[in-house]
Amino acid sequence: MKKYLAVALGILTAIGGFVDIGDLVTNAVVGARFGLSLAWVVVVGVIGIVLYAYMAGKVVALSGRATFEIIRERLGARAALMNLGASFLMTLLTLTAEIGGIALTLQLLTGIVPLAWIVVATLAVWLVIWLVKFTWMENAAGLLGLTLIVFVVSFFVLGPDWGDTVDQITQQYPHPGEHPLTYWFYVVALFGAAMTPYEVFFFSSGAVEERWGRQDLMLARLNVGIGFPLGGLLSLGIAGSAFLVWSPEKVDVSSLSQVVLPVGEALGTIGLALVLIGVLAATMGAALETALSCGYTLAQYAGWPWGKWHRPAKAPQFHVTIIVCLLIACGVLATGVDPIMVTEFSVVFSAVALPLTYAPILVVANDPEYVGEETNGPVLNALALVYLVIIVVAAVAAIPLMVLTGLGS
Amino acid sequence: MRAALVVALVVGLAACGITTPPLERAAGDATSATGSAALALRGLDDGDLTSAVAETTIEDAVTTASKAAREVAAYPAKNTREKQLQEQAVAAIADAVKDLHRARDGVRQPAQRASLVDRLTADRDRLDELTTKAGSL
């Protein structure tokens, strides 16, 4: 019975923890402009993250070591440094966006300007990392994040025209007033938001924190195979609700209040309260994950002791890295930069960093030295290679599309 | 050398960019801001939570519309038609900004909400029309 509960809890936290500020903003922006035309990108992105997170989880379960440690050992310090550089900077940018997201949510809850909340949010993230047990931290954020299901409920309550919804999903062109390149820019942004690099590093390092072994392989399969796709449904709920409320009003989503207002429109004050709890949990959870991931990646590359299971005095570089990253994120936001703008940049640059993050995972997941006889089968390898091609195309196209379309404007 | 090539690529791409023309973009931003504020005010009940969300939405709308007003005013019109449209847009956005300020003050005054929503909706429709005209220049 305890085992089944653990599986259920893992799946629920995977659903609730799937969405972060990048998913919230990008899906609402895309939904208001393109309806559900880009739902296919969410599906493609979810399958990709399922594949690669599963491979990362498998490596941990079978070798007992986190992906980044093995990447350095397997590829050498120089190649791993490129991987580290891209992933670390992207994760730091995402951490900045998440802390900005917490501050914006607290503004919506209290009416007090977000600048005042940035220090509070940063301090809260550090205190949780310092004081709260890993499992408690992960489960609380994931379970509270489940309240984001109100986006899906709102979509149904708002009463979509089902014929129009099917048309949006099946017919990609034309979009009146939108250039095809803008459409492709958002395809890449949405893909980047779904496959954010920190997710696999956190998943892999978190599995080490939770002492996964061979017996946990099934848990890994269920967490990513059921939890992530259901998390993807939340993304579609965000896009669908944004379309139904904002498109008729000719509104382009550019703030967090516009992301949550469709739920208030559909479900009133209770819905608004639930969605704000969900957004706060999602951004807080992702801020914790990204802050930890900054520490994980650098410590694993450098060979320092790492992990929350160590007392801070036993892993000082790991904890100092986290503190420095939090201070950088706080400093960037204190300049008054728009957190939504940071989020938009973070999802685009995530797409750029994807090949450097995901290609080494595929190499390691095929190395018998680490996974024994459980190397990828031909079907998994074929799918992973197809995704690697998609990832490379998205990475190459991301910056030109961003410049050509003026960040999708 | 590599850095110079990257800079050249970025500048080149930006030069042949497909971004929306400035007048149309600014008018579109003001339309979006005004529509957003109208909806936030329309869906408001008397709870503190919804008031806080509506106030933030309207505050964002004021910022966006004020920025759009500055951009439209600074736009160097190339001909008489553009000049006329620019003047109309300046007037329309100025009206919208005034109404957005009233809306911000009216969030916690239920008696005024309905008339404010009507005004903002009218502002939005007027700005939307101007955005369409700016797009056809």
Side-chain angles (χ1 to χ4, degrees):
Chain A
M1 186 64 187
K2 203 176 168 186
K3 192 178 164 188
Y4 290 116
L5 275 175
V7 170
L9 190 63
I11 292 170
L12 289 176
T13 51
I15 300 168
F18 182 81
V19 173
D20 68 0
I21 188 75
D23 294 295
L24 283 161
V25 171
T26 314
N27 279 289
V29 170
V30 165
R33 286 176 74 161
F34 297 95
L36 285 171
S37 300
L38 274 74
W40 64 271
V41 185
V42 175
V43 175
V44 171
V46 166
I47 294 172
I49 193 75
V50 165
L51 282 176
Y52 279 88
Y54 167 66
M55 283 190 266
K58 181 177 78 171
V59 170
V60 175
L62 297 173
S63 71
R65 298 170 63 192
T67 316
F68 221 98
E69 286 178 322
I70 297 176
I71 286 172
R72 183 186 163 154
E73 188 175 282
R74 177 71 172 74
L75 303 182
R78 199 167 171 181
L81 187 63
M82 278 177 64
N83 179 288
L84 171 75
S87 308
F88 185 82
L89 289 175
M90 273 325 306
T91 307
L92 184 56
L93 190 60
T94 312
L95 169 65
T96 309
E98 304 297 346
I99 290 180
I102 299 173
L104 289 175
T105 315
L106 290 171
Q107 180 195 19
L108 292 178
L109 283 163
T110 62
I112 298 170
V113 289
L115 214 54
W117 288 114
I118 289 165
V119 177
V120 175
T122 308
L123 201 60
V125 172
W126 175 71
L127 278 174
V128 171
I129 289 176
W130 192 263
L131 297 174
V132 180
K133 275 188 174 177
F134 184 87
T135 317
W136 275 94
M137 181 193 89
E138 196 188 14
N139 291 346
L143 291 176
L144 283 172
L146 276 177
T147 55
L148 291 176
I149 199 84
V150 288
F151 277 113
V152 180
V153 176
S154 296
F155 178 69
F156 287 99
V157 171
L158 287 165
D161 175 338
W162 290 106
D164 183 42
T165 305
V166 171
D167 283 348
Q168 285 172 30
I169 293 171
T170 53
Q171 295 168 11
Q172 299 302 310
Y173 289 113
H175 289 282
E178 299 285 6
H179 195 283
L181 286 180
T182 311
Y183 171 91
W184 286 105
F185 168 76
Y186 280 110
V187 167
V188 170
L190 212 49
F191 187 65
M195 291 199 72
T196 323
Y198 81 85
E199 288 181 46
V200 281
F201 289 123
F202 180 76
F203 188 73
S204 142
S205 306
V208 177
E209 296 258 24
E210 291 179 324
R211 303 266 191 263
W212 278 18
R214 180 177 284 274
Q215 72 282 2
D216 295 305
L217 259 181
M218 183 52 74
L219 184 66
R221 284 198 187 103
L222 291 170
N223 277 4
V224 300
I226 300 176
F228 284 1
L230 290 177
L233 265 185
L234 301 184
S235 298
L236 295 179
I238 296 165
S241 306
F243 171 73
L244 293 174
V245 169
W246 293 125
S247 188
E249 303 288 334
K250 303 178 191 304
V251 169
D252 284 338
V253 171
S254 59
S255 69
L256 192 62
S257 64
Q258 291 168 325
V259 176
V260 300
L261 266 173
V263 177
E265 186 77 356
L267 304 174
T269 306
I270 291 176
L272 205 52
L274 286 173
V275 77
L276 287 173
I277 290 169
V279 173
L280 190 59
T283 48
M284 184 71 184
L288 293 168
E289 292 179 6
T290 45
L292 281 167
S293 294
C294 285
Y296 289 146
T297 48
L298 197 60
Q300 287 166 16
Y301 177 83
W304 299 331
W306 61 272
K308 270 180 63 59
W309 77 85
H310 285 303
R311 295 172 68 85
K314 298 275 181 194
Q317 298 101 325
F318 170 69
H319 280 278
V320 167
T321 304
I322 291 170
I323 291 168
V324 170
C325 288
L326 284 169
L327 288 173
I328 292 172
C330 183
V332 169
L333 291 165
T335 62
V337 65
D338 178 9
I340 298 295
M341 179 77 84
V342 176
T343 304
E344 286 172 345
F345 275 109
S346 79
V347 293
V348 176
F349 284 105
S350 276
V352 177
L354 289 177
L356 289 168
T357 306
Y358 288 99
I361 293 173
L362 182 58
V363 173
V364 172
N366 278 295
D367 191 333
E369 197 179 319
Y370 301 106
V371 294
E373 292 171 0
E374 299 277 351
T375 51
N376 289 349
V379 176
L380 182 54
N381 267 338
L383 266 173
L385 280 172
V386 168
Y387 264 89
L388 210 52
V389 173
I390 297 172
I391 282 168
V392 170
V393 171
V396 170
I399 301 281
L401 283 173
M402 182 181 80
V403 176
L404 277 169
T405 63
L407 207 64
S409 67
Chain B
M1 181 64 187
R2 201 177 292 172
L5 278 173
V6 171
V7 171
L9 176 70
V10 169
V11 171
L13 286 170
C16 59
I18 49 101
T19 47
T20 314
L23 206 54
E24 185 189 359
R25 192 187 61 232
D29 286 349
T31 308
S32 175
T34 316
S36 171
L39 187 128
L41 206 59
R42 192 180 70 204
L44 196 63
D45 58 25
D46 290 329
D48 283 340
L49 182 63
T50 46
S51 298
V53 174
E55 274 170 353
T56 306
T57 310
I58 295 168
E59 195 63 58
D60 289 341
V62 170
T63 309
T64 306
S66 303
K67 184 168 168 262
R70 287 193 299 275
E71 285 173 4
V72 171
Y75 177 72
K78 294 182 193 78
N79 52 46
T80 318
R81 212 169 143 218
E82 275 198 358
K83 185 76 188 159
Q84 277 177 349
L85 195 62
Q86 182 186 24
E87 284 166 4
Q88 288 171 13
V90 166
I93 298 176
D95 287 347
V97 170
K98 268 186 215 156
D99 287 336
L100 284 168
H101 279 293
R102 286 194 191 105
R104 186 175 54 188
D105 300 335
V107 166
R108 291 177 196 269
Q109 293 168 10
Q112 294 181 15
R113 274 185 217 147
S115 66
L116 282 168
V117 170
D118 289 344
R119 292 179 80 119
L120 288 172
T121 307
D123 289 333
R124 184 205 62 195
D125 292 344
R126 187 175 158 203
L127 284 165
D128 186 40
E129 212 173 290
L130 288 169
T131 307
T132 310
K133 279 187 189 169
S136 64
L137 276 175

